[in-house]
Amino acid sequence: MIEFQHVTKSFKDNKVLSDISLTIEDGELVAIIGSSGCGKTTTLKMINRLIRPTKGKIFIDGKDIEDMNKVEMRRSIGYVIQQAGLFPHMTVRENIELIQRLEKKNDEEIRKNTDYLMDMVGLEGEEFLDRYPNDLSGGQQQRVGVARALANNPKIILMDEPFSALDPMTRVSLQDELIALHEKVDTTIVFVTHDMDEAIKIADKICIMKDGHILQYDTPEEILKNPANEFVENFVGKNRIWGSPEYIKVEDIMIENPVTCSGDLSRSRCVKRMKERHVDTLLVVDQNRKLQGMVNRKALYRAKNPLAAADTMMKTDVLTASPDDNILQLLKLIDEYDVGNIPVVDENEKVLGLITNSNLISTLSQQYLTEDEEETEGEPSEGSHAEMTEEEV
């Protein structure tokens, strides 16, 4: 765990960081983001004591880094910068093996680890190990830089805008490889970037900074849904969540408290309830709100007896969604099963809400609305799952 406690950093009269406190848990990939001069790179460099705080303390696994041996600490922390930072007079092999040899590890162990690392970052050892950095493309150099950072099996890797100088296609490829790599190794990664799309894509948590202050530190999902203030909202972008639809959950868009009935409600009372609540579907639940089935207007057409009970007319084979499902999963269900209304239930089948075609369309349309239109549209109402006239029933 990395912990900043009330850290301030000043360069003469220029205060770069102002009393920041931050905790990064083991195994997390945390992106630090903000505009130029916000203090993000200074924060990163403090972790391995390239920059020392003016006030406050920094701890790694509960130990004050000021009490650690600086050389040993830096060897135990991987570091990747722009342009990879490889030594140009050394081969790829020599760059990767440098720290391991300083640690006087066994030659055979080093060779096996180097081959393993090259494979991990997607480079063929026979083709690249004896070449020099200048013979490699920018993307290949960055892969070697990551391999070198991993060579000593560090618990922490610091990455200072490592992909910013690369072309867009190479950058996307390396972002994907970093995500895959992070899933394989139990390593804490602190990643500085100025690109919000990159931060959202790769990070477990995002730290947004401005003028040496932390404005918001949370998961990408929470920041997209609930920006801490207007600056964060504008920095993130009002419609950016539509670029990451996996963060739009069913619970965010469902109709809460949908119209329900008990299984013994008669046909005539079902009709009355639908008319009064302007809906075309009733969810049949037991006394604990556990879903039993659904009654729709087609079932009412078919049932001629006005005293017929809801549980004799209901459909029991009902497709349901979880509140944690995302909108992409929901759309796939709707397309695959051609359904209009999907009850939302918890793990005990208790009804939590309802998704309908109309409120789903209303949600999807938000990405195209201007701010003025959003103000006049209002929230989707419960009745939006379809108004029904008495004649239709």
Side-chain angles (χ1 to χ4, degrees):
M1 181 173 72
I2 304 168
E3 187 176 6
F4 284 69
Q5 291 186 359
H6 303 289
V7 172
T8 295
K9 179 61 185 178
S10 298
F11 293 99
K12 295 185 178 180
D13 296 330
N14 180 27
K15 185 178 284 188
V16 180
L17 295 178
S18 301
D19 191 32
I20 68 165
S21 294
L22 175 70
T23 299
I24 300 171
E25 299 292 343
D26 288 344
E28 286 186 331
L29 197 166
V30 171
I32 303 177
I33 187 169
S35 54
S36 297
C38 71
K40 56 186 185 292
T41 295
T42 298
T43 302
L44 183 84
K45 289 182 176 180
M46 283 185 165
I47 296 173
N48 64 353
R49 284 174 60 183
L50 287 175
I51 295 176
R52 300 175 72 177
T54 305
K55 295 180 182 178
K57 292 184 178 295
I58 301 168
F59 297 86
I60 295 178
D61 293 336
K63 299 177 182 178
D64 188 336
I65 63 173
E66 291 294 330
D67 296 333
M68 296 180 181
N69 180 287
K70 183 167 63 175
V71 174
E72 291 180 1
M73 182 192 69
R74 288 179 179 170
R75 288 182 183 178
S76 69
I77 296 176
Y79 193 39
V80 185
I81 61 175
Q82 290 185 41
Q83 307 292 352
L86 301 176
F87 296 109
H89 61 286
M90 292 184 177
T91 65
V92 168
R93 182 189 297 279
E94 289 168 337
N95 268 281
I96 294 174
E97 296 180 352
L98 178 62
I99 299 299
Q100 298 175 85
R101 296 201 177 278
L102 289 173
E103 294 289 326
K104 302 187 184 304
K105 292 187 176 180
N106 177 274
D107 284 348
E108 181 62 18
E109 179 186 353
I110 292 174
R111 186 189 64 76
K112 288 182 178 179
N113 191 44
T114 300
D115 291 341
Y116 170 75
L117 291 169
M118 290 292 284
D119 183 62
M120 183 180 287
V121 298
L123 293 175
E124 179 61 48
E126 290 186 6
E127 181 180 354
F128 292 99
L129 280 173
D130 295 321
R131 294 167 67 178
Y132 288 87
N134 289 339
D135 298 328
L136 277 56
S137 68
Q140 290 165 347
Q141 289 184 38
Q142 285 303 122
R143 287 181 171 88
V144 174
V146 171
R148 185 177 65 179
L150 288 166
N152 214 30
N153 193 27
K155 286 193 64 177
I156 298 169
I157 297 178
L158 309 179
M159 307 185 81
D160 190 4
E161 302 201 51
F163 308 149
S164 61
L166 303 176
D167 65 88
M169 289 187 65
T170 302
R171 186 172 186 169
V172 169
S173 174
L174 287 177
Q175 288 167 358
D176 292 338
E177 289 186 17
L178 179 62
I179 294 169
L181 180 66
H182 188 233
E183 292 174 352
K184 293 178 184 177
V185 296
D186 184 24
T187 302
T188 303
I189 300 176
V190 185
F191 189 106
V192 165
T193 180
H194 62 270
D195 185 334
M196 180 55 74
D197 286 328
E198 182 169 68
I200 291 170
K201 178 177 179 179
I202 67 171
D204 299 313
K205 286 185 179 177
I206 298 173
C207 178
I208 299 178
M209 300 186 68
K210 180 178 185 289
D211 298 333
H213 297 275
I214 295 174
L215 300 186
Q216 190 165 3
Y217 178 49
D218 217 320
T219 63
E221 178 179 356
E222 186 62 23
I223 289 173
L224 287 170
K225 291 178 181 177
N226 300 299
N229 53 39
E230 186 176 359
F231 177 87
V232 174
E233 183 178 22
N234 290 331
F235 188 83
V236 171
K238 295 181 183 296
N239 286 327
R240 191 182 291 271
I241 194 167
W242 293 105
S244 304
E246 66 273 17
Y247 292 131
I248 305 174
K249 300 296 180 64
V250 165
E251 64 181 353
D252 300 324
I253 65 173
M254 69 185 184
I255 297 169
E256 297 181 357
N257 301 314
V259 185
T260 62
C261 71
S262 61
D264 60 1
L265 193 70
S266 67
R267 176 188 181 276
S268 59
R269 289 186 177 275
C270 286
V271 171
K272 182 180 179 182
R273 185 165 299 185
M274 286 184 179
K275 285 168 53 183
E276 289 175 345
R277 302 296 294 274
H278 303 288
V279 297
D280 65 356
T281 301
L282 296 176
L283 304 184
V284 183
V285 298
D286 65 12
Q287 59 185 3
N288 297 316
R289 287 185 65 82
K290 184 175 181 179
L291 183 67
Q292 305 295 300
M294 285 199 308
V295 174
N296 57 30
R297 57 183 177 178
K298 288 184 179 179
L300 296 177
Y301 283 133
R302 292 193 297 266
K304 303 301 182 184
N305 182 0
L307 299 179
D311 59 10
T312 66
M313 299 180 290
M314 70 183 182
K315 177 184 178 183
T316 57
D317 183 19
V318 178
L319 185 69
T320 62
S322 163
D324 293 326
D325 290 342
N326 63 51
I327 199 169
L328 297 178
Q329 294 168 315
L330 187 65
L331 291 170
K332 184 177 179 180
L333 280 178
I334 290 172
D335 180 61
E336 185 174 351
Y337 293 98
D338 191 25
V339 291
N341 295 328
I342 302 180
V344 182
V345 298
D346 64 14
E347 64 275 9
N348 298 315
E349 296 296 310
K350 181 180 177 180
V351 172
L352 303 176
L354 180 68
I355 295 291
T356 69
N357 277 337
S358 54
N359 86 298
L360 185 58
I361 290 170
S362 177
T363 298
L364 293 171
S365 70
Q366 296 302 308
Q367 62 181 307
Y368 304 112
L369 296 176
T370 64
E371 288 185 46
D372 291 338
E373 286 173 325
E374 287 176 351
E375 291 174 3
T376 58
E377 282 290 317
E379 295 293 324
S381 68
E382 183 181 288
S384 69
H385 46 119
E387 284 199 14
M388 185 175 62
T389 65
E390 182 176 0
E391 289 75 16
E392 288 179 312
V393 176

